[in-house]
Amino acid sequence: MLRVNEVFSFEGELHRVLRLDKDCFYLIDISNTKGLPRAEAYRVFEALADTGEIVRADDPYMYLQSLSLPSDSSPLAKLNEKYSTILPIIEDARSLDKKARALLILKICEETKKSQSTIYRLLRRYWQRGQTKYALLPDYGQSQSAGARRNFTNKKPGRPRIFGVGNGVAVTDEVRHLFNKVIDKYLLNDKSHQIKYAYRKFQDAYLFKHPNAPEYDIPTYRQFYYHYQTETQMSQRIQSRAPENIFNKDIKPVRATATEQALGPGSRYEIDATIADIYLVDDTDGSIILGRPTIYMVIDVFSRMVAGFYIGYDNPSYPVAMKALACSFASKVEACKQYGINITDAQWPCIGVPDVVLADRGELMSHQADYLIDALRLRLETPPPGRGDAKGIVERSFRARQAVFKKYVPGVVEGNKIKKHGERDYRLEACLSKSDFVEILLFSIVAHNTQKPMEKYDRGPDIPDDVPNIPLALWNWGISNRTGKLKAVDFKVAQIKLLPRHPVSISDKGVKLWGVTYTSSQLLASGWMHRSKSVNRPQNLVASYDLGSANQIYLYFDEESHDYWVCDLTSRSREFKDMTWYQVWERQAIQKQKMAESQYDYAPVERDLDKLIEEKVKAAKLRYSSPAKSDVGKIRAIKGNKRDAIQQERKEMALTDTKTGKDQSADIIPLSSLENDYQYPDFTPELFDKDDE
């Protein structure tokens, strides 16, 4: 069955069906530059189709059916003029008949003053290209040398200069070569050179090759800029002029979303930190400015729930990150209750260990990673360096959380510390304490989790329409309909396992960590503290420590086990009791400084002592005279000589009473009758008695 405008192939040529009549149909050869419509019988077409000599083909001018030109454009005006010229002919039913068409064309030529060849050309284009108005558009892409580079050797193309001197220089292959060299060196890299700077370098290169060329005969900046725009693709310019990490983070096209990779609640967490844009004051004394706090956030990618947090003054580091991660494992009811926010676990259901945690490299260490991977079956992922966009969800949450208070709270960071003469430093306007700040953020987090609608959340196709874009609603739906629940964990054990670790040494004094000694009942029972050369103490052990307290450490006594012993501070290190490790390190640094200064003071004294000894020995040797006795006699006389020296020393040290008159004795008050005994304590039993069994 034939259809109007259908294209078919016959003997390698394409033909278009123009009209269907009762006994025949009209067609035209598409590729024939002199082709005109002709009539064919249906039976001929059917016979050729049965033998496979005629087959349907794709219309090469199908694209014309989707063209559209602006209503005020010049091409459309010309197109309408051409179409109106042939419209009386194509609307006439006799236009496909050769004789009738000839008469119609003669009439149009008389009315429009156009030649017959022009009318025939327009009609042929109209019929061959689908019988649409846009078939009359010229083939701009097929014009001679379309898109081809043109070489001008004698004269610069375009209008001559109106201002200035000379006629300019044509862009030859030599000039293009210089253009490309300068563009590659100064523009297609991340040096951020301006185009005008690169053009000045081109001028230097051109004058080096043509030292006698006047200034007005150097290719112009416009020519250089045109070459740069036409010979390099926009994507190439953008990628080349941006540093690789900036391009990947901020410019590279985004082809997927983070939510697409999250299978459900707890499938993937993101953790990151920021320094809040606000200065806080002391809780008890508002005149003491403490600085800017650190905020850690742990975000569930699927639901956007804030699963864990840390708000404090510690700098971003692994220990602080683990506090936020441990918070995401546990219930948040008690933490909120401290600030007067009463919630239930159903309102903040993020309790347990997720499948994947995405964090920066600096926030993950090998031994804790082993525990997270082996014991908690948690997979760790790290983005490439400088790719903050890999954690875009948690990065965006920082802006959202801080936007809550920035408009209302004084002490917010605003550009320079002193913006204009006479204005106060914004740090001096700080008035919020840490407890106030934590309460504001906690309330904001709870409101976000339970009530905040997310306008730009990318929903999966299986999420029902009646599930709102609220984190809690998405979490609850995902728990019921997506992947399994979060893994349970002992929060206290997880807290200890996630503490930072450091190598320790073991001696008869106990376990030593940074010069601080510890012991425990298990350590004593192991025999490692006995003062015997036969004791075989283990090497390469590590211990966990809490930066907030130096009173205890957790010794991992077996390299292949996650078990640990709780070790307490010994009396030898009692000076560090109830200190944080930062205070311990600070105190040790002061002591080492004083020790170094004391060594400087003692050094000259030690040298003087050496000098004194040497002088005394030298003088004694000079006083020494060879005695008449033999060596054997001198040795035999040692005992008697020492006895005589003792008697002489006793006489010299004997007391003599130089007072005259009778001494008066004072009243004696017996101390034993008092309630308290002020005798010096005797530690001998504690030091040397046997240990209690």
Side-chain angles (χ1 to χ4, degrees):
M1 178 180 179
L2 290 175
R3 290 171 294 182
V4 174
N5 270 342
E6 187 175 19
V7 177
F8 61 86
S9 175
F10 174 66
E11 295 182 349
E13 301 292 338
L14 295 180
H15 298 76
R16 183 184 302 279
V17 178
L18 300 180
R19 193 169 69 194
L20 301 175
D21 284 349
K22 183 177 180 181
D23 299 325
C24 65
F25 64 95
Y26 291 88
L27 71 161
I28 188 172
D29 187 346
I30 290 180
S31 58
N32 191 347
T33 57
K34 299 295 183 180
L36 289 172
R38 69 179 189 274
E40 291 288 350
Y42 287 115
R43 53 183 176 80
V44 176
F45 176 83
E46 292 174 355
L48 294 174
D50 291 341
T51 59
E53 296 181 65
I54 290 180
V55 294
R56 286 185 171 85
D58 295 331
D59 188 351
Y61 299 105
M62 182 64 71
Y63 67 92
L64 293 173
Q65 298 181 13
S66 59
L67 285 182
S68 178
L69 295 176
S71 58
D72 56 346
S73 65
S74 175
L76 181 62
K78 294 180 180 179
L79 179 64
N80 290 333
E81 180 185 356
K82 294 177 181 178
Y83 184 69
S84 61
T85 300
I86 63 172
L87 185 60
I89 300 176
I90 60 180
E91 287 184 342
D92 196 309
R94 302 170 297 165
S95 60
L96 299 182
D97 180 69
K98 181 178 180 180
K99 294 182 179 180
R101 181 171 62 246
L103 296 176
L104 292 172
I105 291 174
L106 288 175
K107 181 180 179 181
I108 295 298
C109 291
E110 293 176 357
E111 294 176 355
T112 62
K113 306 302 181 183
K114 295 183 182 295
S115 65
Q116 293 187 36
S117 60
T118 300
I119 304 301
Y120 272 109
R121 178 174 53 83
L122 293 176
L123 286 172
R124 186 177 297 110
R125 178 180 290 267
Y126 175 80
W127 286 323
Q128 288 179 334
R129 301 193 175 199
Q131 304 185 92
T132 176
K133 179 172 68 174
Y134 287 97
L136 303 178
L137 281 174
D139 293 330
Y140 295 111
Q142 296 180 4
S143 59
Q144 185 177 5
S145 301
R149 177 185 295 163
R150 302 186 183 185
N151 292 318
F152 303 95
T153 57
N154 299 324
K155 183 180 178 182
K156 177 178 175 294
R159 65 172 177 80
R161 290 178 180 172
I162 299 176
F163 305 102
V165 182
N167 296 321
V169 179
V171 177
T172 62
D173 289 339
E174 178 192 2
V175 173
R176 291 192 187 94
H177 179 68
L178 283 179
F179 279 167
N180 291 331
K181 288 186 66 175
V182 171
I183 288 171
D184 290 341
K185 184 174 181 179
Y186 295 101
L187 295 180
L188 297 183
N189 54 48
D190 59 355
K191 303 299 183 182
S192 301
H193 292 307
Q194 294 183 350
I195 300 180
K196 288 192 174 182
Y197 173 81
Y199 173 67
R200 291 195 293 271
K201 293 299 180 182
F202 162 76
Q203 289 177 311
D204 294 338
Y206 187 84
L207 289 175
F208 180 80
K209 286 197 169 187
H210 303 85
N212 297 324
E215 195 71 26
Y216 53 79
D217 275 346
I218 299 176
T220 64
Y221 171 76
R222 184 177 179 183
Q223 290 172 309
F224 179 80
Y225 182 79
Y226 178 80
H227 182 86
Y228 173 60
Q229 293 288 332
T230 56
E231 296 298 320
T232 59
Q233 295 183 352
M234 182 175 64
S235 59
Q236 179 189 11
R237 297 193 296 270
I238 293 174
Q239 183 171 356
S240 300
R241 291 182 63 80
E244 182 178 2
N245 61 329
I246 299 298
F247 175 79
N248 291 330
K249 181 170 69 73
D250 299 328
I251 303 175
K252 186 177 180 180
V254 178
R255 293 176 290 181
T257 65
T259 313
E260 183 182 2
Q261 308 299 324
L263 302 179
S267 173
R268 181 183 296 268
Y269 281 0
E270 292 181 4
I271 180 172
D272 202 3
T274 189
I275 305 299
D277 297 333
I278 187 174
Y279 280 81
L280 302 181
V281 300
D282 185 68
D283 281 334
T284 57
D285 187 351
S287 63
I288 301 176
I289 303 174
L290 299 180
R292 297 166 63 181
T294 299
I295 303 176
Y296 261 98
M297 288 286 185
V298 183
I299 306 291
D300 174 59
V301 173
F302 174 78
S303 65
R304 307 297 198 269
M305 285 273 283
V306 179
F309 62 91
Y310 165 84
I311 306 170
Y313 293 111
D314 248 333
N315 293 324
S317 60
Y318 168 80
V320 184
M322 290 303 102
K323 289 183 180 180
L325 189 59
C327 174
S328 71
F329 298 165
S331 171
K332 270 67 74 174
V333 173
E334 291 299 324
C336 292
K337 191 174 182 181
Q338 296 177 9
Y339 296 94
I341 301 175
N342 296 318
I343 64 169
T344 63
D345 286 334
Q347 292 176 286
W348 203 333
C350 305
I351 303 174
V353 180
D355 292 333
V356 180
V357 171
L358 179 64
D360 289 330
R361 294 173 182 265
E363 293 166 349
L364 299 177
M365 300 172 68
S366 60
H367 51 269
Q368 287 83 357
D370 292 341
Y371 167 70
L372 292 171
I373 294 171
D374 299 337
L376 299 183
R377 304 187 304 281
L378 175 65
R379 190 168 81 250
L380 301 177
E381 295 181 354
T382 56
R387 292 299 304 275
D389 58 315
K391 305 189 303 298
I393 293 175
V394 68
E395 294 278 1
R396 180 66 182 87
S397 70
F398 291 134
R399 296 196 296 270
R401 298 286 75 75
Q402 297 195 83
V404 172
F405 61 82
K406 274 190 172 183
K407 295 182 290 185
Y408 313 103
V409 178
V412 171
V413 177
E414 298 176 356
N416 298 325
K417 296 181 178 64
I418 302 177
K419 293 178 288 188
K420 293 181 181 179
H421 181 70
E423 291 189 0
R424 283 178 58 84
D425 189 334
Y426 57 73
R427 294 173 296 182
L428 300 176
E429 299 177 352
C431 64
L432 274 188
S433 65
K434 175 187 172 182
S435 58
D436 296 331
F437 183 68
V438 174
E439 184 176 352
I440 291 173
L441 280 191
L442 273 183
F443 192 92
S444 170
I445 291 172
V446 173
H448 164 81
N449 285 350
T450 58
Q451 301 293 334
K452 174 67 175 177
M454 298 177 292
E455 297 180 0
K456 297 183 179 180
Y457 178 79
D458 52 317
R459 299 167 63 94
D462 58 333
I463 300 179
D465 295 338
D466 58 349
V467 176
N469 291 347
I470 296 174
L472 182 58
L474 293 168
W475 177 283
N476 291 334
W477 179 87
I479 288 293
S480 301
N481 299 276
R482 285 288 186 91
T483 57
K485 310 290 189 299
L486 279 74
K487 297 182 287 288
V489 65
D490 188 326
F491 178 63
K492 294 296 183 182
V493 174
Q495 278 186 309
I496 295 174
K497 295 289 188 179
L498 294 176
L499 290 174
R501 302 184 188 181
H502 195 272
V504 296
S505 61
I506 300 179
S507 66
D508 55 359
K509 297 178 178 62
V511 181
K512 182 171 287 189
L513 175 63
W514 283 306
V516 184
T517 56
Y518 296 86
T519 187
S520 69
S521 59
Q522 298 95 330
L523 193 63
L524 291 169
S526 68
W528 294 343
M529 292 182 62
H530 285 67
R531 293 173 294 169
S532 173
K533 293 183 179 180
S534 62
V535 176
N536 185 19
R537 300 183 180 93
Q539 305 295 323
N540 303 322
L541 295 185
V542 297
S544 296
Y545 59 94
D546 189 346
L547 288 171
S549 175
N551 291 342
Q552 287 183 333
I553 63 172
Y554 308 93
L555 175 66
Y556 292 89
F557 55 88
D558 189 349
E559 296 182 28
E560 299 180 356
S561 174
H562 290 294
D563 292 336
Y564 56 86
W565 293 338
V566 180
C567 300
D568 298 310
L569 202 67
T570 64
S571 58
R572 180 180 294 273
S573 299
R574 60 188 179 278
E575 63 173 313
F576 304 119
K577 185 178 181 182
D578 297 331
M579 287 187 178
T580 67
W581 274 107
Y582 293 108
Q583 292 172 325
V584 170
W585 296 328
E586 183 179 0
R587 186 165 185 165
Q588 288 176 335
I590 294 173
Q591 292 174 356
K592 289 178 181 178
Q593 177 66 25
K594 293 298 181 183
M595 179 63 70
E597 294 174 359
S598 300
Q599 291 290 350
Y600 298 146
D601 296 337
Y602 178 64
V605 176
E606 193 173 24
R607 292 194 298 269
D608 292 342
L609 178 59
D610 292 340
K611 185 177 180 181
L612 176 64
I613 295 173
E614 292 171 356
E615 291 176 351
K616 290 295 182 182
V617 171
K618 184 177 181 181
K621 287 182 178 180
L622 292 175
R623 292 196 309 268
Y624 178 77
S625 60
S626 299
K629 293 183 180 181
S630 64
D631 293 343
V632 175
K634 289 191 289 184
I635 293 174
R636 288 176 178 176
I638 291 177
K639 188 174 182 181
N641 295 339
K642 185 176 181 181
R643 183 174 60 249
D644 295 340
I646 291 174
Q647 295 299 330
Q648 181 63 30
E649 181 183 337
R650 288 173 179 173
K651 290 180 181 181
E652 292 175 355
M653 298 183 67
L655 296 176
T656 57
D657 189 1
T658 59
K659 292 184 179 181
T660 58
K662 187 178 181 181
D663 294 337
Q664 295 181 354
S665 59
D667 296 335
I668 298 174
I669 302 175
L671 294 177
S672 59
S673 63
L674 297 178
E675 181 179 355
N676 297 322
D677 186 2
Y678 293 98
Q679 292 183 357
Y680 190 80
D682 186 4
F683 292 107
T684 302
E686 296 182 9
L687 293 174
F688 300 103
D689 285 357
K690 294 183 178 181
D691 295 336
D692 295 336
E693 297 296 336

